[in-house]
Amino acid sequence: QVQLVESGGGLVQAGGSLRLSCAASGRTFSINSIDWYRQAPGKHRELVAVISSGGGTKARFTISRDNAKSTVYLQMNSLKPEDTAVYYCHTSVGIINYWGQGTQVTVSS
């Protein structure tokens, strides 16, 4: 079993920055990678960043990790209102997918 807990979301003005954290626990030795997804109201969940690549799908987002803390971070800069969504971290072990509970990011214009 793997548990993922996100934190760091909140309300920020357009142009601001946030750093999200995803703390992993449980059988963390079985984790190869952790991804970040987001889901806006009425939209499908979309991939935001993958740790194996060291970057994000958007140039404004950077993913990094601290192995000692079993934590993955998502640094988001120059935020836009369209970045408003619930952000989830995700990993898979074999065929089992694990998701965190999500953290809300709201960007005001």
Side-chain angles (χ1 to χ4, degrees):
Q1 288 284 350
V2 173
Q3 295 80 41
L4 302 174
V5 178
E6 303 96 335
S7 61
L11 174 64
V12 63
Q13 289 187 333
S17 298
L18 280 175
R19 189 179 78 157
L20 306 183
S21 300
C22 173
S25 61
R27 299 171 63 87
T28 57
F29 61 86
S30 62
I31 296 175
N32 290 321
S33 67
I34 293 181
D35 319 314
W36 282 97
Y37 285 75
R38 69 184 184 186
Q39 187 166 20
K43 295 188 177 181
H44 294 295
R45 193 169 294 188
E46 64 172 345
L47 179 66
V48 174
V50 179
I51 187 63
S52 60
S53 71
T57 60
K58 303 181 183 301
R60 299 177 288 115
F61 295 175
T62 302
I63 190 171
S64 62
R65 64 183 168 190
D66 184 334
N67 289 332
K69 296 181 179 180
S70 298
T71 299
V72 172
Y73 303 97
L74 182 67
Q75 178 68 42
M76 304 186 295
N77 300 323
S78 302
L79 284 164
K80 304 175 181 180
E82 51 263 43
D83 294 320
T84 294
V86 178
Y87 285 71
Y88 300 90
C89 58
H90 161 268
T91 191
S92 59
V93 178
I95 62 171
I96 301 174
N97 288 295
Y98 296 95
W99 295 90
Q101 82 288 352
T103 185
Q104 176 70 47
V105 172
T106 303
V107 184
S108 62
S109 57

